Amino acid sequence: MSNTIDSAFKRIDTTYRSQGSPLTAPPTMVGRTFKASRVYDKVIGLTIVALIAAVAGWLVIPVGVAWACIFVAFGIVLLSWFRMQWARVLAPAYAVTEGVALGAISSAYASFAHGVVPVAIVFTGAVFVACMFLYRTGLVRVTPRMVSMAIMGAMGIMAVAVLSLILGVFGIGGLGSAFGPWGVIIGAICLVVAVLNLFTDFGYADRSEQMGVPAEAEWAAAFAILTALVLVYLSILRILAAFMGGGGRRR
């Protein structure tokens, strides 16, 4: 079973070695190989950037601009699927635009469910720590089947997200549909997919280090973890809002 996973990472390694990066790597990057510890350092940095951008999206940036960032961030994710070697630039760009978008989204949810945002942030951190603990202790092992489920789940959510954005442009649907049983069910499904992706991302980081993948691939790993964390947050936000926002918009 591990051969299947090894083959996948070898293809990633080949992509970086054969295609190279269209961006010039700093001199300090030349000859360096992948380190999982540096991936998590990058995740911390990107998360801080996203949090700062989220505060700006909530308090300073006009609502129209903040919501437009949703489309920009979505486009960056799609581009990263085809140009993973650009992750060194795409990851920070995503952190900024998605952070601004999350600020607007969080503000909208907070208007329906008072206090839901800080609780969702705490739960997101708890989920990340719990996933890391389960992975590091070996209680959860990344298998080819898990990788396949994570990929298929992510693609399914992506398809639904595209449909939702299209419907949103035409004014069909709305935040109010997040409440009730369907909000909990959809949020739970998305949360499961996000957790699966976190586990596979952890596995990607460890395998890449073992295989000596070029160091620039650390940005792709950090980008993947960040997108999974965003999905965890949005899923938890939706679940909590379904329970806490039953009374409708607060006055």
Side-chain angles (χ1 to χ4, degrees):
M1 292 173 64
S2 61
N3 291 337
T4 304
I5 301 178
D6 288 336
S7 299
F9 287 108
K10 286 177 182 177
R11 286 195 295 272
I12 295 173
D13 187 24
T14 301
T15 299
Y16 273 92
R17 294 184 189 280
S18 62
Q19 294 181 2
S21 172
L23 306 170
T24 303
T28 55
M29 294 288 289
V30 177
R32 292 176 66 182
T33 58
F34 193 107
K35 292 294 182 184
S37 60
R38 289 199 295 264
V39 171
Y40 298 114
D41 289 342
K42 289 177 173 62
V43 171
I44 292 173
L46 291 171
T47 301
I48 292 174
V49 170
L51 287 173
I52 294 173
V55 173
W58 189 323
L59 301 177
V60 180
I61 297 177
V63 175
V65 175
W67 283 99
C69 285
I70 295 176
F71 294 91
V72 177
F74 187 76
I76 292 174
V77 171
L78 289 179
L79 180 59
S80 70
W81 284 17
F82 301 98
R83 289 292 183 268
M84 69 174 71
Q85 66 269 29
W86 294 358
R88 184 159 57 92
V89 170
L90 295 180
Y94 174 80
V96 173
T97 54
E98 185 63 43
V100 173
L102 288 178
I105 294 171
S106 299
S107 177
Y109 269 96
S111 68
F112 280 85
H114 179 62
V116 69
V117 173
V119 176
I121 293 174
V122 171
F123 269 80
T124 299
V127 168
F128 179 82
V129 172
C131 289
M132 178 63 74
F133 173 80
L134 292 173
Y135 176 77
R136 290 299 182 193
T137 56
L139 294 175
V140 173
R141 303 182 67 85
V142 178
T143 64
R145 183 175 183 180
M146 179 184 290
V147 173
S148 298
M149 291 174 62
I151 293 174
M152 289 188 294
M155 292 179 66
I157 290 176
M158 190 70 69
V160 172
V162 171
L163 179 61
S164 298
L165 288 175
I166 294 174
L167 293 177
V169 170
F170 292 98
I172 302 174
L175 187 61
S177 61
F179 301 109
W182 279 113
V184 176
I185 293 172
I186 294 174
I189 293 173
C190 291
L191 181 58
V192 170
V193 172
V195 168
L196 287 175
N197 275 274
L198 276 178
F199 285 132
T200 57
D201 293 339
F202 296 158
Y204 168 83
D206 285 346
R207 292 280 182 152
S208 295
E209 180 173 347
Q210 294 169 10
M211 294 173 60
V213 170
E216 196 171 351
E218 294 165 5
W219 283 106
F223 191 4
I225 292 175
L226 180 63
T227 57
L229 278 175
V230 168
L231 184 55
V232 168
Y233 172 73
L234 291 175
S235 302
I236 293 176
L237 192 64
R238 188 175 191 122
I239 293 171
L240 292 176
F243 285 109
M244 300 171 61
R249 185 182 295 271
R250 63 186 175 91
R251 301 181 185 277

